[in-house]
Amino acid sequence: MHGESSTARRYFILEESYVETEWKDMISVHYINTSYEVKNTVIRVHIFLGKEMSQQAYGGFFTLRKIDEPRIMLSYIYPNWSVLYSNGSLLNVMTYKKKVHILGNEFTYSTYPLFVQDNNTIACAEASMISMSQYLHHKFDYNKIRILDLGKAYSSGKTKLYPASGLRPTQMIEIFNYYHISIGYQVFINNSEADFEEFRGYIDYSVESGLPVILGLSVPEKGKKDKLHIVQVIGHTKQDRMHYVIYDDSGFFLKNGLNYNGFVLGVGWEELKKFIKTKNSFLIYPIHEKVYIPYETFKSRFRDTFNSLKSLKRMERENINLENVRYLLADNREVKKFLREDVEKGSLTEAIVLEEEKRLLETDMPHYLWVCEIPVKNVSEETEYLFFFANPTYSRVTMKNIFINKIPVLRKEQFGLLSY
């Protein structure tokens, strides 16, 4: 079946019976015991941006649960981020490659799975965790969280499971532990500018590393006290990195906090801060299993190492602002790809830096590396970037030199893992 929106000029192809594990789980744990009429498959709706069935025109798909309750029909959204915009700004988001088959055609595109709660079997916390684990599974081979097992995945403070009343942070941590997904947890404690920046630092490093962040916000609700609501941070806007891509599966935060109808929006940091409240807001973010030097330790080690470097020129030091440093974790293959591009071009004027890049390409490295990117003004007042790479598999108290490169690598391009 095909359909077209009269205003947005969208075209649709419907698959009447598509198997979706989450919907089958929801039926088995809850809906089979209710008076709703349900079927155990979903409808998959493919979106095309023109009158052609092609990779370039494909906008992604969404699924609809087969239940006689329109308000909870929407299930998954798999957008093609390369064609999506937020307030006129191109989104820079974490994605994985997904293949779809439609009428004998195969399309591959970059997406992030957006899962929608039903407020019966799952609320915002569970929906965010399931969505996050789907992405982590396809991107990094983490375990997937199953709705079927949620009831036995935690025990603290457990009450009647259905209808779902949401989860506390401690219960969410238990569930991640049950699935052997290593995570970090930060609570916003003090309402000072320094604490806001520290809190933000964890968001930045995680998002830049391609690791989604679960963010607990305090959101006003008309006629009621503020409500704790869970959203995901899955990217930033390309232009300034000052806006964060927020996925809000129910739209509660975007509607009540920002008066915006939708699921995804680029939200400025100053706007987001208004909903981060002392002892109520928190972060949960994944940490790769073999990363033993955490963010705060690496940040401290880098500053100590940088201040002791003798190889940087005095003019370079004067033009470096350590407050603008980017910290992220990256697969060593991505790092070597980045270095190889420069070696193949041979564009750097300093031969010593080019030789260091060649040496790094031949160096055995752990799976993940800490990457440190520092903007610096050159003699022409143009911005270039110094790079340091570090081994995260040592302990946080190690006396060893954790940095892999002997001298900073200088590039004109930034390093990035997010796609758009």
Side-chain angles (χ1 to χ4, degrees):
M1 296 177 62
H2 298 261
E4 178 183 355
S5 166
S6 59
T7 57
R9 301 180 66 83
R10 301 293 186 254
Y11 300 83
F12 307 101
I13 294 178
L14 273 64
E15 290 182 68
E16 294 289 349
S17 295
Y18 179 74
V19 176
E20 188 173 273
T21 302
E22 286 72 22
W23 176 232
K24 291 176 69 176
D25 283 358
M26 292 164 72
I27 292 173
S28 64
V29 301
H30 177 64
Y31 287 106
I32 197 170
N33 300 314
T34 71
S35 298
Y36 289 109
E37 293 183 11
V38 298
K39 294 182 180 180
N40 65 0
T41 58
V42 297
I43 300 171
R44 183 159 73 155
V45 183
H46 300 278
I47 306 170
F48 288 87
L49 308 183
K51 285 186 176 181
E52 60 180 52
M53 191 180 296
S54 67
Q55 180 90 38
Q56 294 72 26
Y58 189 63
F61 71 85
F62 61 89
T63 58
L64 300 173
R65 300 162 183 147
K66 292 181 179 178
I67 184 171
D68 57 340
E69 179 66 76
R71 295 185 65 180
I72 58 178
M73 286 183 68
L74 185 58
S75 186
Y76 262 113
I77 308 170
Y78 284 89
N80 185 346
W81 290 110
S82 64
V83 298
L84 292 184
Y85 293 76
S86 174
N87 290 340
S89 298
L90 195 58
L91 301 182
N92 221 351
V93 295
M94 53 195 77
T95 63
Y96 71 92
K97 294 293 185 182
K98 184 173 182 63
K99 290 183 179 180
V100 295
H101 296 89
I102 315 165
L103 303 178
N105 297 279
E106 180 181 275
F107 301 137
T108 302
Y109 69 106
S110 298
T111 191
Y112 186 98
L114 307 179
F115 188 54
V116 182
Q117 64 177 286
D118 67 337
N119 264 322
N120 286 318
T121 56
I122 54 171
C124 58
E126 295 95 325
S128 293
M129 295 171 73
I130 290 165
S131 178
M132 174 190 279
S133 76
Q134 278 275 10
Y135 164 77
L136 293 173
H137 172 73
H138 290 286
K139 188 75 171 185
F140 303 109
D141 200 29
Y142 282 45
N143 292 324
K144 281 199 294 187
I145 293 176
R146 287 284 302 272
I147 295 171
L148 195 64
D149 299 328
L150 282 177
K152 61 183 179 183
Y154 72 99
S155 58
S156 64
K158 183 180 289 185
T159 57
K160 188 175 184 294
L161 291 177
Y162 310 113
S165 57
L167 296 170
R168 297 197 295 268
T170 51
Q171 294 170 327
M172 298 171 70
I173 292 171
E174 279 190 71
I175 293 171
F176 281 121
N177 183 63
Y178 178 87
Y179 283 96
H180 304 289
I181 299 175
S182 299
I183 52 98
Y185 174 61
Q186 299 291 327
V187 179
F188 185 68
I189 299 177
N190 299 310
N191 193 27
S192 69
E193 193 59 37
D195 291 302
F196 271 116
E197 286 307 307
E198 182 179 352
F199 198 69
R200 183 186 184 183
Y202 284 94
I203 298 176
D204 284 340
Y205 116 71
S206 297
V207 169
E208 295 281 17
S209 302
L211 297 169
V213 176
I214 286 178
L215 174 59
L217 298 174
S218 186
V219 183
E221 189 172 13
K222 190 173 181 180
K224 300 179 182 179
K225 65 178 183 179
D226 289 1
K227 178 181 178 181
L228 176 63
H229 184 61
I230 309 299
V231 299
Q232 289 183 81
V233 188
I234 59 174
H236 55 68
T237 50
K238 182 184 177 185
Q239 278 81 348
D240 53 19
R241 299 177 188 271
M242 295 292 288
H243 289 70
Y244 297 88
V245 180
I246 303 296
Y247 169 55
D248 181 5
D249 78 289
S250 68
F252 179 81
F253 161 60
L254 298 181
K255 175 63 177 177
N256 290 274
L258 303 177
N259 197 31
Y260 174 81
N261 291 316
F263 296 103
V264 180
L265 184 68
V267 181
W269 173 245
E270 292 302 318
E271 193 68 29
L272 197 59
K273 281 171 60 176
K274 299 175 184 177
F275 306 95
I276 298 174
K277 304 296 183 182
T278 302
K279 298 181 181 179
N280 193 31
S281 293
F282 64 90
L283 301 172
I284 294 178
Y285 49 94
I287 301 177
H288 296 308
E289 190 62 40
K290 293 183 180 179
V291 171
Y292 304 122
I293 297 178
Y295 160 71
E296 64 275 9
T297 302
F298 173 65
K299 186 176 179 180
S300 176
R301 288 291 294 267
F302 163 72
R303 288 175 180 253
D304 290 343
T305 300
F306 180 84
N307 290 331
S308 66
L309 279 178
K310 297 179 181 179
S311 59
L312 291 177
K313 300 174 184 177
R314 182 172 176 273
M315 182 60 70
E316 288 176 333
R317 287 187 183 277
E318 290 177 351
N319 288 304
I320 292 174
N321 182 357
L322 291 185
E323 297 307 313
N324 293 330
V325 175
R326 289 175 63 220
Y327 304 94
L328 64 149
L329 283 165
D331 191 308
N332 77 67
R333 292 171 296 183
E334 295 293 333
V335 171
K336 289 192 173 183
K337 178 183 176 183
F338 181 67
L339 296 173
R340 188 177 296 109
E341 290 171 353
D342 201 55
V343 170
E344 291 175 351
K345 287 189 299 184
S347 59
L348 285 178
T349 56
E350 294 190 40
I352 188 172
V353 176
L354 195 60
E355 286 303 312
E356 177 64 1
E357 289 184 318
K358 292 178 180 178
R359 186 189 70 81
L360 289 172
L361 286 173
E362 297 173 357
T363 300
D364 289 334
M365 298 179 179
H367 191 168
Y368 295 103
L369 298 174
W370 273 115
V371 179
C372 192
E373 177 190 285
I374 312 102
V376 56
K377 295 286 186 181
N378 62 21
V379 292
S380 302
E381 290 299 308
E382 298 172 328
T383 300
E384 296 181 327
Y385 303 92
L386 291 173
F387 289 92
F388 294 79
F389 308 106
N391 186 337
T393 64
Y394 292 110
S395 78
R396 68 175 72 203
V397 295
T398 184
M399 298 295 291
K400 288 183 171 291
N401 174 27
I402 65 174
F403 291 91
I404 295 173
N405 45 326
K406 296 178 180 179
I407 62 172
V409 169
L410 181 66
R411 292 290 302 274
K412 292 185 178 181
E413 305 88 5
Q414 287 187 278
F415 178 80
L417 296 175
L418 306 186
S419 58
Y420 50 87

